[in-house]
């Protein structure tokens, strides 16, 4: 044991390294302990989440301070070469990790997105369910399921991607999206009646979304350089070789896009069926004809 003490007295730099690692370990254990207490004693989900993230951020800041104190204590000239090599090695080896940590601070500072937002980043679409110092966790949507439905997979994306490409946010500042529905009617239909049915039904079902989005849209127009837009349902007609397309454009909650389209189409269809044939839904018809049988007989004259 005495030999160990003598060795450590002759290696003050090694002792400092061990002391630094010891305090880092204490901080990491403390972060885990405080997060566990917050998880068990705070009932409010939102406040619990923010408390846990706050504890984690404070812990990382303390570790950074420890590094700064360690490398600036004593004679800086004696450690200048070590600091340079260490910094270069850390920067090169952990550049993705450093960028991810910087991305997490950027996400929280600028509010690029928050838990609960629906985003699309790096080609992956879903709802943000967690943001830590390294990764953003997303409940994935799409892939093998249609429309805005969860696939069931949880995806972790590096926070570094906030610096590498566009981020599509479906809910920040304006929690509504525009959607469209095509209603196909035959040329023999009463087009004016069809237009009235589509618009009246859309206004009846979607008036709450239009009214609820007006204040949010006004804030958006005031905050950003953006033109005003119609929030009420609108309709446009397109003529094709086979039918007339009534395209209705409307606004809906970003989480209810699929359900809204289903209710709207179902209601329009029921109203059209009540017109006694004045309006008829169109469809493509493919008729397969049977190929006539060919009886081929070969006579042997030999």
């Amino acid at each position: 044991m005495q030999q160990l003490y003598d060795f450590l007295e002759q290696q003050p730099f090694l002792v400092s390294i061990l002391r630094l690692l010891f305090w880092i370990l204490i901080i990491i254990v403390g972060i885990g302990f405080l997060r566990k207490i917050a998880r068990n004693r705070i009932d409010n989900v939102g406040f619990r989440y923010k408390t846990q993230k706050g504890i984690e951020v404070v812990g990382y800041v303390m570790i950074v301070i420890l590094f700064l104190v360690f490398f600036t204590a004593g004679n800086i000239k004696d450690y200048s070469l070590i600091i340079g090599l260490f910094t270069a090695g850390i920067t090169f080896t952990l550049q993705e990790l450093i960028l991810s940590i910087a991305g997490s601070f950027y996400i929280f500072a600028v509010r690029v997105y928050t838990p609960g937002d629906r985003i699309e980043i790096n080609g992956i679409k879903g709802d943000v369910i967690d943001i830590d110092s390294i990764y953003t966790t997303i409940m994935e949507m799409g892939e093998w399921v249609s429309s805005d439905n969860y696939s069931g997979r949880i995806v972790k994306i590096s926070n570094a991607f906030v610096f590498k490409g566009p981020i599509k946010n479906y809910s920040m500042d304006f929690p509504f999206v525009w959607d469209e529905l095509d209603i196909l009617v035959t040329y023999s239909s009463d087009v004016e009646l069809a237009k009235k049915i589509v618009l009246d039904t859309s206004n009846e079902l979607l008036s709450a979304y239009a009214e609820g989005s007006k204040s949010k849209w006004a804030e958006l127009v005031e905050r950003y350089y953006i033109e005003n837009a119609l929030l009420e349902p609108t309709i446009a007609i397109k003529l094709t070789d086979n039918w007339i397309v009534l395209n209705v454009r409307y606004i809906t909650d970003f989480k209810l896009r699929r359900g809204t389209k289903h209710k709207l189409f179902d209601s329009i269809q029921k109203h059209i069926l009540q017109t006694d044939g004045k309006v008829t839904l169109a469809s493509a018809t493919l008729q397969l004809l049977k190929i006539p049988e060919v009886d081929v007989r070969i006579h042997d004259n030999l």
Side-chain angles (χ1 to χ4, degrees):
M1 185 63 70
Q2 185 62 37
Q3 293 179 350
L4 178 61
Y5 288 152
D6 294 339
F7 174 76
L8 292 177
E9 288 181 357
Q10 297 174 3
Q11 303 291 334
F13 185 72
L14 178 60
V15 173
S16 299
I17 291 289
L18 293 175
R19 186 181 296 114
L20 175 65
L21 295 177
F22 172 77
W23 282 109
I24 291 176
L25 180 62
I26 292 295
I27 292 174
I28 293 175
V29 172
I31 291 174
F33 179 71
L34 293 176
R35 281 173 57 89
K36 184 176 181 181
I37 291 178
R39 185 169 58 250
N40 295 334
R41 297 189 179 183
I42 300 177
D43 296 329
N44 185 279
V45 178
F47 182 67
R48 181 172 65 234
Y49 174 82
K50 293 179 180 179
T51 301
Q52 288 179 310
K53 292 305 170 185
I55 292 171
E56 186 176 335
V57 170
V58 170
Y60 285 126
V61 170
M62 292 178 65
I63 291 175
V64 171
I65 292 174
L66 277 177
F67 271 104
L68 293 176
V69 171
F70 173 77
F71 285 115
T72 57
N75 191 348
I76 296 180
K77 293 181 180 179
D78 295 337
Y79 299 120
S80 59
L81 180 60
I82 297 176
I83 294 174
L85 294 175
F86 178 79
T87 304
I90 289 294
T91 303
F92 179 78
T93 306
L94 304 178
Q95 55 182 334
E96 189 70 22
L97 177 62
I98 294 172
L99 197 60
S100 296
I101 295 175
S104 67
F105 282 103
Y106 180 74
I107 290 170
F108 282 109
V110 184
R111 287 189 72 253
V112 180
Y113 50 79
T114 59
D117 283 355
R118 180 164 296 178
I119 67 171
E120 183 175 343
I121 180 173
N122 195 32
I124 298 173
K125 178 183 176 183
D127 290 346
V128 178
I129 58 177
D130 186 40
I131 306 171
D132 58 28
S133 57
I134 307 297
Y135 293 105
T136 292
T137 307
I138 293 177
M139 174 60 75
E140 184 191 49
M141 307 177 72
E143 291 296 329
W144 58 81
V145 293
S146 61
S147 193
D148 298 335
N149 292 320
Y150 290 142
S151 68
R153 296 192 304 191
I154 294 178
V155 183
K156 286 187 174 292
I157 301 177
S158 171
N159 290 335
F161 278 107
V162 298
F163 302 119
K164 298 181 179 180
I167 301 170
K168 300 176 183 178
N169 196 316
Y170 291 72
S171 52
M172 184 180 68
D173 295 334
F174 189 67
F176 299 92
V177 293
W178 274 275
D179 200 7
E180 295 182 348
L181 176 64
D182 288 337
I183 303 297
L184 312 180
V185 298
T186 62
Y187 274 97
S188 60
S189 300
D190 186 338
V191 178
E192 293 301 321
L193 178 58
K195 288 167 55 179
K196 185 176 186 304
I197 290 174
V198 172
L199 275 179
D200 289 348
T201 306
S202 300
N203 286 318
E204 179 183 352
L205 291 178
L206 307 173
S207 59
Y209 294 132
E211 289 297 325
S213 62
K214 286 182 179 179
S215 59
K216 290 289 185 180
W217 182 255
E219 295 176 3
L220 202 66
V221 171
E222 184 177 352
R223 181 176 179 181
Y224 299 104
Y225 185 75
I226 185 173
E227 295 182 359
N228 208 346
L230 289 175
L231 302 178
E232 294 78 12
T234 58
I235 191 170
I237 297 179
K238 179 181 178 181
L239 305 180
T240 69
D241 294 336
N242 302 304
W243 45 64
I244 300 174
V245 180
L246 304 180
N247 177 270
V248 57
R249 175 180 169 85
Y250 56 91
I251 200 167
T252 182
D253 188 286
F254 74 97
K255 287 188 176 181
L256 303 176
R257 189 169 69 93
R258 182 173 183 263
T260 302
K261 178 173 287 189
H262 166 72
K263 292 179 181 178
L264 182 59
F265 182 80
D266 186 60
S267 182
I268 291 174
Q269 180 190 28
K270 290 179 180 178
H271 283 86
I272 288 178
L273 292 177
Q274 295 173 0
T275 62
D276 297 328
K278 293 181 180 179
V279 179
T280 306
L281 293 175
S283 63
T285 303
L286 179 64
Q287 183 177 7
L288 299 178
L289 300 177
K290 182 180 178 181
I291 300 176
E293 297 181 358
V294 178
D295 186 9
V296 179
R297 298 180 181 181
I298 300 176
H299 298 282
D300 190 1
N301 296 325
L302 298 178

